Amino acid sequence: MKISIAAKRLEISGVVQGVGFRPFLFVLAKKYHLKGEVSNTCGGVLVIVEGTLKNIESFTNDIYDKNPLLASVTRIESFDAKLQNFSLFQIVKSKSSSSRTTLISPDVSICPDCLAEMKNPCDRRYEYPFINCTNCGPRYTIIEDIPYDRPKTSMKLFKMCPLCQQEYDDPLNRRFHAQPNACPECGPHVFLTDNKGKRIDSDSKEAVTLAARYLSQGKIVAVKGLGGFHLACDASSKEAVKTLRQRKSRPHKPFALMAQSTSHLFEHVHVSPEEKKLLESYHRPIVLLNKKNIKEGNIKGVAPDVSPLNKSFGVMLPYTPLHYLLLEKGPDVLVMTSGNRSGEPLSIDNEDALDAFCDIADYFLLHNRDIYFRADDSIARIQAGRPRFIRRSRGYAPLPVFLNKKMPKVLGCGGGLKSTVCLTRNNYVFLSQHIGDLDNVKVFDFFQDSIDHLKDILDIQPEIIVHDMHPGYMSTNYAKAQKNIKKVAVQHHHAHAAACMAENDLDEEVIAITLDGTGYGTDGHIWGGEIFLATQSAFKRKAHLSYIKMPGGDAAVLEPWRMAVSVLYQAFGTDFFALDIPFIKEMEKENLSFVCQMMDKNLNSPLTSSTGRLFDAVASLLCIRHKISYESQAAMELEFITDKELTHGVYGFDIIQCENNEEDRSFEIDLMACIRQIAEDLSVDESLGQISSKFHNTIVKAFSCAAIKVSKETGIRKTVLSGGVFNNDYILSSMIRTLEENNLKVYTHTKVPTGDGGISLGQAVVAAALEAN
């Protein structure tokens, strides 16, 4: 009986380039006795197959079900094709087209196979710092353009030796078409210099050995990695950590740690199974882990200045071969903090790094593989039982967030702090890596470069550009300067709410609780303690914290004592000068009087409903932190001292109906009773841990009571939580629990950061919803 042969053309979309996808298809085609060809295209992968319909169907199903670890298939379109009578199945040269729609893999950690080879003295890549295969290594940071082929990466300068070329050409080898494939004979190499740029090694192996030795001796070494530089030192050395803080002018902000393995962490931190899984994932984010022996204030094997006045260490496992080599030959736990000038983007160029922090690092461990695009380490934690982003960057970007509806082509420009940008196409939202705070010129340049690079490699020319309502943000100025494109301004907290709605597939009206430090309001004031009724296209402000003044404007963010004066003045009037509390005794009376005069005369004292500023005020009232050296420091230190066993104590508050239409009521949440009771507790020497816990409980109780009021009025039960205050584990967990106990259905962020790193997505969602309307 003659077997009927069919021909099909399969167009496969998703993360299917640079992840071993064509070799996977090659093996799969052989399994099902199929002939034909496979090639990369600008849209993904194109497969022509000939064989029985049953085998082609099985082949197609396996593409979905059994694809490589790093691959992600989002769509397979199947078309009938003309029979060409192929004699075999082969991988052919990439096909160019005018459309570029392929998804690009992020950089990922070294795989177990490569790690085993690197540790094997008999392997030709023994201790080679750039070992990789199709299952691991650099991707996004070395791509100049697509399709993802070696000539369009920073590996184009390194011609493969015959052995590497043989691996690259062998469809059954895991290095088949691994674009960064290399070995010590033909690939990049590392070298060590002093802080003047003078080379002090004889070869790559000596460079790593010397660098590890210097780290063990307490020196600071700048290390060039995947997406930029780290500044490294021995985490157990008090002197090394102290020196790094002094030289980097970073007095308090926690340093990240890199440990050789999870087993090296158990003495220092608690590691749950979920946290271990997140740590060991191929994304390799920094994971916030709770310290052990925190009450004693001494963590064995880690200098106390690594993460002062903080309940957590930020820890990651090694993700490059070079990291593993340094940790094997040197200290088993390293400080690995970002290598950059203060406020500037991560350094990625050897000369720039030497110029930027020659006064910080004693030695520089460099390499000659260019980084085309920087990517800071991602930061995540397990909160309320689920992984959540604080920063979504290396290991995740530029993978898209998938939405349940098609979007027009939109550019979301984000806000001013912790900036990211996003581009949309169909149901994909492509979020950039972390960019930073845009008030720095070099960060703003990086912001513009990121937009241009993403537009190019994703082939998205936006039809709409959307920005924050704040007129002073550099991202707003950028958007307004663009010509011949529709522009949309979106209120900051509406963007927060819309981002959370979109990632949870919510397209109806919800209650949105958005708590953060700052966001420009429609009334011209600074918002940040908000309850909205929100859809993706519109919102109504239903409740908010009562306004308080910010004496000195931005100075009040850097000096929380100003906010403490503001709340005391609002709660007590001038009687607060007579309060018998440590805060009044510590402060200069002239400064207190000056700030009160500013507020009386409305001199640079904008009104704010910010929850973040309220945390600052209470942290200063408790004499925990009067001035900050990094963002959210006061609030984090206030959380640090909470007494976790005190879950029910609450201070007073009032929910006051605003003077507006009875049918469309809104409320103010007045916490001045809370401030007066805190002052009373301070006057009788109540423990600071108890006061902090009661304040946290009061924030949760006040906002949940207001949200329940709105729910009862409207019948709406679905509630989204967003904004940087929800990075506070105490607040997030307690808020979820309290709302759910009152029969509200709570939705939170798990795909993008809850802080400002996620609002570019929300901006795009709002603009798309407005366009649809």
Side-chain angles (χ1 to χ4, degrees), residues 176-223:
F176 176 69
H177 281 234
Q179 304 307 335
N181 189 31
C183 73
E185 296 299 317
C186 63
H189 64 270
V190 297
F191 54 99
L192 188 70
T193 77
D194 61 18
N195 57 8
K196 302 289 192 300
K198 181 182 177 183
R199 187 163 176 173
I200 56 176
D201 66 85
S202 59
D203 58 33
S204 288
K205 288 190 176 180
E206 187 187 23
V208 176
T209 301
L210 284 173
R213 183 185 305 163
Y214 290 138
L215 286 166
S216 299
Q217 293 171 356
K219 301 298 184 183
I220 297 166
V221 179
V223 181

Side-chain angles (χ1 to χ4, degrees), residues 469 490-498 501 509-516 519-522 527-535 538-544 609 666-667 703 706-707 710-711 714 716 718-720 722:
M469 282 179 56
V490 174
Q491 200 280 325
H492 187 88
H493 302 96
H494 187 204
H496 270 302
M501 292 172 69
E509 194 168 41
V510 300
I511 297 168
I513 304 176
T514 55
L515 310 181
D516 66 2
Y520 190 80
T522 55
W527 294 3
E530 311 303 316
I531 298 180
F532 292 168
L533 280 181
T535 63
F539 72 93
K540 292 179 183 177
R541 194 184 193 200
K542 295 297 291 182
H544 62 87
S609 61
S666 64
F667 306 95
F703 276 98
V710 174
S711 178
T714 61
I716 296 170
K718 292 183 178 180
T719 305
V720 300
S722 190

